[in-house]
């Protein structure tokens, strides 16, 4: 047996027409004799066979068979091609295909010798010198065996150096079997690991004419090529261990610090939950820490000397609560309260007799076709000027906007936005609806939806005034009386602003009592002077006059502030319109003067 260690051997057999059938049989026996003396197997020597003539045929590759019986059976089944002699093509195929890792050759880093045995009886019909040099440079050791008519120069061009050990010429096919023994000696040679002191620390692997050292699993070969060192699998930092990496014979394992256990992924660590054991006896909360636990009380409680039980803390006496009137302690917390008739402010500490003018305001604007786009922009400006003077916040004034034409659309409810900037941006993004004027439908929507607590209106018990401001420019196409009445009966203070073709009778029906103080009218959008004149600040009558129902002081104060702000906005818009009208008059006068000058020159 060949004891030189594993080899990858490929026989490249000439089956051109010059090789007669009985001669081809001797080539079969030549291959089977050599294979019979090899230690074949997946981890030992692997064997492949290809035959060639004018083309190349793979009989079996290095990964096909791993027993001599299977190999011999395949060799007996070879049918010669009986065509030309393309030896260079066959060597090219062996280099690119037969010795590829895909076909079973071991990777180069494993240092398994790659040996090609080329057997031919004639002169190649293609060029072999260049392709054979490429094969040798690729690490393939080539033995060239010529029979009878083989060309010696071609054999020498194919073979690896030294040529005297890699080139063989046999006089006839009858002598090839005798040559097999000689070739076997050349191929296997002596066991270099047995013949000399190799110095390998772990194991020696013999190759034809040489040897190399290998290390046991978990070790790597040192630069001296003989000694071995344990592989530190933790050193490259790719182990992924969360806490500690422990190297073990070329592998590694992860370990956790005290107080942690290794997770199922064998890399990350989880802190041991000592509280889950159920024996902590903490009255409120148990907190796990590495190697133990401690007890913690909820906010407003103090941990007792036993480190387990908790007692409530009177926060009103123990902290600077900042309550203006009175602090009330509760379990683990506190809150401020105000005297009867006063309201707690948004800061949760101070008290105020009134809500600083805070209201729930829903503006209902006419988006019908008669308004026209340019005037609709003026309406949006009016809305934003109102917003500018309000203290908008969830606890202060809340603003909602509804647009109507033939249908009604909530642009945003009372609880949608919590700052003036958000509201003003939303107003400018409102799109003009056009079409009809269904004012009654809009009032119904306002009563049923806009002032519902679902959409952000605060309960009536909070004494926050509810104000509805309707802005229209024409006669309604539906009845308004019922829902105008229902709005006022439900506690909504209604203001009606009419422009252009708005009907005074409808505006009066919408407005709250006293009507004269809650509705206004202007002939067009650019002259709103009359609107300003008609707004009165006296909307909260004095007690005892009997003119209307007595309102609470806080509610009246809020209504007064809202009306004051609205009047200021209308006044500002009117002043701008007056300036615009003056500028227009000046331009008209100048044009008239120019016309007169031109006429005089003519």
């Amino acid at each position: 047996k060949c004891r030189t260690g594993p080899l990858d051997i490929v026989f490249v057999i000439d089956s051109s027409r010059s090789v007669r059938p009985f001669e081809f049989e001797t080539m079969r026996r030549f291959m089977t004799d050599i294979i019979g003396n090899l230690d074949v197997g997946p981890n030992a020597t692997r064997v492949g066979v290809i035959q060639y003539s004018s083309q190349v045929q793979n009989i079996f590759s290095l990964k096909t068979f791993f027993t001599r019986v299977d190999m011999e059976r395949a060799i007996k089944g070879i049918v010669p091609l009986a065509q030309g002699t393309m030896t260079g093509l066959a060597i090219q195929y062996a280099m690119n295909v037969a010795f590829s890792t895909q076909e079973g050759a071991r990777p180069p880093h494993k240092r398994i010798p790659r040996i090609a045995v080329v057997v031919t009886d004639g002169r190649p019909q293609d060029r072999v010198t260049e392709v054979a040099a490429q094969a040798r440079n690729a690490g393939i050791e080539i033995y060239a065996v010529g029979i009878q008519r083989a060309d010696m120069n071609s054999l020498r061009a194919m073979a690896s150096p030294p040529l005297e050990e890699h080139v063989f010429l046999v006089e006839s096919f009858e002598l090839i079997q005798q040559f097999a023994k000689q070739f076997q000696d050349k191929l296997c040679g002596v066991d270099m690991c047995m013949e000399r002191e190799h110095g390998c620390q772990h194991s020696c692997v013999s190759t034809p004419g040489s040897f190399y050292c290998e290390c046991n699993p978990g070790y790597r070969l040192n630069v001296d090529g003989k000694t071995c060192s344990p592989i530190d699998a933790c050193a490259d930092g790719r182990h992924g261990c969360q806490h500690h990496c422990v190297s073990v014979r070329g592998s590694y394992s992860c370990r956790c610090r005290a107080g942690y256990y290794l997770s199922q992924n064998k890399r990350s660590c989880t802190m041991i939950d000592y509280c889950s054991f159920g024996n902590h006896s903490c009255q409120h909360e148990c907190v796990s820490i590495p190697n133990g636990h401690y007890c913690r009380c909820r906010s407003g409680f103090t941990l007792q000397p036993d480190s387990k039980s908790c007692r409530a803390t009177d926060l009103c006496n123990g902290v600077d609560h900042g309550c203006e009137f009175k602090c009330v302690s509760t379990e683990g917390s506190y809150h401020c309260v105000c005297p009867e008739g006063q309201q707690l402010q948004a800061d949760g500490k101070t008290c105020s007799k009134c809500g600083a003018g805070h209201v729930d305001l829903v503006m209902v604007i006419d988006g019908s076709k008669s308004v026209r786009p340019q005037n609709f922009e003026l309406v949006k400006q009016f809305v934003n000027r109102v917003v500018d003077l309000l203290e908008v916040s969830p606890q202060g004034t809340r603003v909602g906007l509804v647009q109507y034409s033939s249908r009604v659309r909530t642009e945003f409810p009372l609880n949608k936005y919590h700052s003036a900037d958000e509201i003003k941006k939303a107003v400018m993004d409102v799109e003009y609806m056009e079409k009809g004027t269904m004012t009654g439908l809009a009032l119904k929507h306002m009563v049923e939806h806009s002032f519902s607590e679902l959409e952000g209106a605060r309960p009536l018990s909070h004494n926050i005034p509810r104000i509805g401001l309707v802005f229209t420019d024409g006669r309604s196409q539906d009845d308004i009386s019922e829902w105008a009445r229902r709005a006022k009966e439900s506690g909504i203070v209604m203001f009606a602003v009419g422009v252009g073709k708005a009907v005074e009778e409808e505006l009066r029906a919408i407005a709250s009592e006293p009507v004269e103080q809650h509705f206004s009218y202007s002939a067009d959008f650019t002259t709103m002077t009359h609107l300003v004149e008609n707004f009165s600040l006296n909307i909260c009558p004095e007690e005892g006059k009997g003119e209307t129902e007595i309102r609470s002081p806080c509610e009246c104060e809020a209504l007064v502030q809202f009306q004051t702000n609205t009047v200021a906005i209308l006044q500002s818009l009117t002043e701008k319109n007056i300036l615009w009208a003056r500028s227009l008059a000046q331009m008209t006068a100048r044009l008239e003067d120019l016309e007169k000058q031109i006429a005089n020159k003519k």
Side-chain angles (χ1 to χ4, degrees):
K1 299 294 183 183
C2 188
R3 301 296 182 185
T4 60
L7 305 171
D8 286 343
I9 300 177
V10 174
F11 290 95
V12 184
I13 305 302
D14 182 355
S15 64
S16 60
R17 66 174 62 91
S18 62
V19 180
R20 289 170 291 185
F22 73 89
E23 295 174 334
F24 194 80
E25 287 301 318
T26 60
M27 295 177 67
R28 293 183 205 269
R29 289 193 295 272
F30 166 72
M31 288 187 287
T32 58
D33 287 346
I34 293 179
I35 292 173
N37 287 290
L38 295 175
D39 183 17
V40 298
N43 297 317
T45 294
R46 299 182 183 182
V47 178
V49 176
I50 61 176
Q51 68 166 333
Y52 72 94
S53 59
S54 297
Q55 58 186 1
V56 181
Q57 181 186 32
N58 182 45
I59 305 303
F60 58 86
S61 63
L62 292 168
K63 66 179 181 179
T64 306
F65 302 123
F66 296 114
T67 66
R68 287 187 291 274
V69 173
D70 291 334
M71 294 177 185
E72 291 171 2
R73 185 183 300 112
I75 291 172
K76 290 178 181 178
I78 298 174
V79 178
L81 299 173
Q83 295 176 2
T85 310
M86 303 295 286
T87 309
L89 181 65
I91 296 174
Q92 182 81 40
Y93 180 89
M95 176 177 63
N96 294 338
V97 179
F99 282 109
S100 66
T101 55
Q102 292 83 358
E103 290 297 309
R106 267 72 64 97
H109 72 270
K110 290 195 174 183
R111 302 173 66 179
I112 304 299
R114 297 182 175 183
I115 297 173
V117 181
V118 182
V119 183
T120 180
D121 79 327
R123 182 188 298 273
Q125 294 176 339
D126 57 355
R127 305 170 73 96
V128 298
T129 304
E130 183 177 349
V131 69
Q134 293 175 356
R136 294 193 299 269
N137 291 336
I140 301 172
E141 185 176 2
I142 301 176
Y143 286 86
V145 181
I147 304 173
Q148 285 185 332
R149 300 170 295 277
D151 179 59
M152 179 56 76
N153 290 332
S154 298
L155 296 176
R156 295 172 66 86
M158 290 184 241
S160 297
L163 296 180
E164 60 272 15
E165 294 183 6
H166 291 82
V167 177
F168 303 92
L169 185 59
V170 183
E171 295 179 356
S172 67
F173 281 94
E174 290 79 3
L175 299 176
I176 193 170
Q177 284 183 281
Q178 299 176 12
F179 160 73
K181 177 63 171 65
Q182 178 186 1
F183 178 76
Q184 178 73 31
D185 293 339
K186 291 290 185 182
L187 182 64
C188 292
V190 296
D191 188 341
M192 300 301 294
C193 292
M194 299 293 293
E195 291 293 321
R196 64 174 66 175
E197 181 62 33
H198 52 75
C200 296
Q201 182 179 356
H202 284 180
S203 59
C204 174
V205 179
S206 182
T207 61
S210 185
F211 69 91
Y212 63 90
C213 298
E214 280 189 348
C215 296
N216 296 334
Y219 294 82
R220 66 164 57 91
L221 195 64
N222 294 329
V223 293
D224 61 7
K226 295 184 179 182
T227 59
C228 300
S229 299
I231 297 173
D232 184 359
C234 297
D236 59 8
R238 295 181 296 177
H239 49 78
C241 297
Q242 183 178 356
H243 286 180
H244 304 298
C245 176
V246 180
S247 184
V248 182
R249 291 188 179 180
S251 184
Y252 68 91
S253 63
C254 298
R255 291 183 185 175
C256 298
R257 294 192 295 268
Y260 294 81
Y261 64 90
L262 196 63
S263 302
Q264 290 184 350
N265 61 15
K266 303 301 181 183
R267 286 180 171 82
S268 59
C269 298
T270 303
M271 188 174 70
I272 298 173
D273 185 4
Y274 290 96
C275 293
S276 65
F277 298 163
N279 58 354
H280 52 77
S281 301
C282 297
Q283 182 179 354
H284 283 183
E285 300 173 0
C286 175
V287 181
S288 287
I289 58 175
N291 298 323
H293 74 280
Y294 68 90
C295 296
R296 181 172 63 191
C297 297
R298 294 191 294 269
S299 177
F301 291 81
T302 303
L303 191 66
Q304 298 304 295
D306 63 2
S307 299
K308 295 181 179 180
S309 58
C310 302
R311 189 173 66 183
T313 303
D314 185 357
L315 293 181
C316 287
N317 293 328
V319 299
D320 183 13
H321 52 75
C323 296
E324 179 181 339
F325 177 67
K326 184 178 180 180
C327 173
V328 178
S329 289
T330 58
E331 184 176 338
S333 184
Y334 72 92
H335 66 272
C336 300
V337 296
C338 293
E340 184 177 356
Q342 296 189 26
Q343 296 179 346
L344 191 66
Q345 295 295 86
D347 61 7
K349 296 182 179 181
T350 59
C351 302
S352 175
K353 182 179 179 182
C354 296
H358 298 159
V359 298
D360 285 346
L361 169 64
V362 175
M363 288 181 270
V364 183
I365 58 175
D366 186 349
S368 61
K369 187 176 182 180
S370 60
V371 174
R372 294 185 295 182
Q374 62 272 29
N375 291 331
F376 189 73
E377 292 301 314
L378 292 175
V379 174
K380 287 160 65 174
Q381 292 177 22
F382 168 76
V383 171
N384 277 349
R385 293 294 300 277
V386 172
V387 173
D388 277 334
L389 298 178
L390 299 175
E391 296 180 12
V392 178
S393 70
Q395 293 77 29
T397 292
R398 300 180 183 181
V399 179
L401 182 64
V402 174
Q403 183 184 177
Y404 72 94
S405 58
S406 298
R407 56 189 177 88
V408 183
R409 182 173 72 202
T410 296
E411 299 297 349
F412 51 85
L414 288 166
N415 57 5
K416 176 72 173 178
Y417 300 113
H418 305 310
S419 70
D421 289 339
E422 290 179 314
I423 294 174
K424 290 168 65 179
K425 182 180 184 302
V427 170
M428 297 312 297
D429 291 338
V430 170
E431 296 183 359
Y432 179 36
M433 293 175 67
E434 297 188 294
K435 298 189 178 180
T437 310
M438 303 294 285
T439 310
L441 184 64
L443 290 170
K444 179 177 184 293
H445 181 89
M446 179 193 72
V447 174
E448 292 184 339
H449 301 286
S450 301
F451 281 107
S452 67
E453 292 184 28
L454 183 64
E455 293 201 3
R458 286 162 285 196
L460 292 171
S461 60
H462 288 191
N463 289 329
I464 302 296
R466 295 181 174 182
I467 298 178
L469 175 60
V470 179
F471 205 111
T472 181
D473 85 323
R475 179 184 295 275
S476 175
Q477 295 174 339
D478 61 351
D479 180 62
I480 66 166
S481 58
E482 177 182 359
W483 287 101
R485 175 179 55 81
R486 289 196 185 187
K488 289 174 282 190
E489 289 177 351
S490 66
I492 303 172
V493 180
M494 296 298 299
F495 287 85
V497 178
V499 181
K501 296 181 181 180
V503 179
E504 181 177 349
E505 179 183 355
E506 293 183 351
L507 297 176
R508 287 179 171 273
I510 294 171
S512 292
E513 295 289 343
V515 173
E516 297 300 331
Q517 299 171 7
H518 292 82
F519 99 95
S520 294
Y521 171 81
S522 178
D524 58 61
F525 286 89
T526 58
T527 57
M528 295 185 182
T529 305
H530 298 299
L531 301 184
V532 179
E533 293 173 353
N534 289 340
F535 267 104
S536 170
L537 298 181
N538 189 23
I539 61 175
C540 294
E542 296 179 4
E543 183 177 355
K545 287 189 176 182
E547 297 180 7
T548 187
E549 178 185 356
I550 304 301
R551 297 184 182 276
S552 70
C554 289
E555 187 175 358
C556 285
E557 183 176 322
L559 291 170
V560 169
Q561 182 169 337
F562 169 74
Q563 198 172 54
T564 302
N565 292 344
T566 306
V567 169
I569 294 168
L570 291 172
Q571 182 67 54
S572 175
L573 291 173
T574 301
E575 290 174 355
K576 288 184 178 180
N577 289 329
I578 292 173
L579 292 174
W580 177 82
R582 289 175 179 173
S583 299
L584 182 62
Q586 292 174 356
M587 291 178 64
T588 303
R590 291 185 63 187
L591 288 172
E592 290 177 353
D593 290 341
L594 289 173
E595 289 176 354
K596 289 179 182 179
Q597 293 177 14
I598 293 172
N600 292 334
K601 288 182 179 181
K602 291 181 177 180

